Amino acid sequence: MTARSPPACMDVPVQAVFVVGGLLVGLLGVHLERPAVMLVGFAPGAFLGATYAPRFVSGVEEPMFTVAVGAIAIVAGAVAAKVAWAAWMLVHAIPGFVAGVAVSAPILGVSLSNPEPNAALATAVGVGLVGAALAWRLHHLFVAVFTGTIGAVMVSVGALGENVYVPMGRAVLRAPEAELQLFVESARSLGTPAVALAVVFALVQLLSLRRRSEPE
């Protein structure tokens, strides 16, 4: 299949943004997850900290007033970022924990409606913790595949001239399912290079995760 030239309506700077952004997302998506989630938590935390900080430093004069407010905002943002990441991990781990307990409890003879503290219950909880850890690992696989695909689509649009429907912010808020369906249907028409690139991106991310987890 021959690559199409980039669309004439797309300026070179826009193409560069698509290509560079696609490479970053495609190759580093799984590593950008934590900073992105923590940033989502940091922003509102810092805003709330800066909003309520003047109440606690009302007697402080300038320039220390501004310094104090800024320090409180940064601390509040940092705490909110940590909470956001912990909540993100919990959201992905809970289904694995529940599944582990639900599967192992009947086998071990544990009644979930009226559990009694014993070795069987402790074992079921242990299996649940293993399920939670497994769910978190599988979540990494999903992130790698998802961001690898998004990165490949961006590179294909910017460098190969592929045409993909890009959902707009307001449209996504009004009809998220319809917008996602339009994106998926347009992505199905992507050529072999885009699909191969998505696979390569996902594999690179998974290999980088494996190297990071290996002891030095």
Side-chain angles (χ1 to χ4, degrees):
M1 177 180 293
T2 58
R4 289 176 286 172
S5 59
C9 60
M10 182 177 289
D11 297 331
V12 173
V14 177
Q15 291 176 233
V17 169
F18 268 80
V19 173
V20 174
L23 290 174
L24 289 175
V25 173
L27 294 173
L28 302 175
V30 75
H31 302 291
L32 297 175
E33 176 193 16
R34 181 167 183 168
V37 172
M38 295 186 74
L39 180 61
V40 170
F42 179 87
F47 175 78
L48 290 176
T51 300
Y52 291 100
R55 299 183 180 182
F56 303 98
V57 293
S58 57
V60 180
E61 297 181 357
E62 293 287 357
M64 292 305 300
F65 177 83
T66 302
V67 173
V69 170
I72 293 174
I74 292 175
V75 171
V79 172
K82 290 288 187 180
V83 171
W85 179 245
W88 183 255
M89 294 179 65
L90 192 63
V91 165
H92 289 86
I94 285 178
F97 178 82
V98 173
V101 173
V103 170
S104 61
I107 298 175
L108 298 170
V110 176
S111 174
L112 296 179
S113 60
N114 187 24
E116 297 180 0
N118 52 37
L121 178 61
T123 303
V125 172
V127 174
L129 293 176
V130 172
L134 180 60
W136 181 247
R137 297 293 295 180
L138 291 177
H139 138 268
H140 285 313
L141 174 62
F142 170 79
V143 172
V145 173
F146 179 76
T147 55
T149 302
I150 296 298
V153 170
M154 292 177 66
V155 172
S156 298
V157 170
L160 305 180
E162 298 281 6
N163 294 319
V164 178
Y165 178 79
V166 179
M168 302 300 292
R170 293 182 179 178
V172 171
L173 293 177
R174 288 197 305 266
E177 294 183 3
E179 291 295 303
L180 179 61
Q181 183 177 0
L182 289 173
F183 170 76
V184 171
E185 290 178 353
S186 66
R188 289 177 180 174
S189 63
L190 291 176
T192 302
V195 177
L197 193 59
V199 173
V200 171
F201 282 167
L203 289 176
V204 169
Q205 291 191 48
L206 293 175
L207 288 175
S208 67
L209 280 177
R210 183 175 178 181
R211 293 195 190 98
R212 190 178 65 177
S213 63
E214 290 178 352
E216 296 181 359

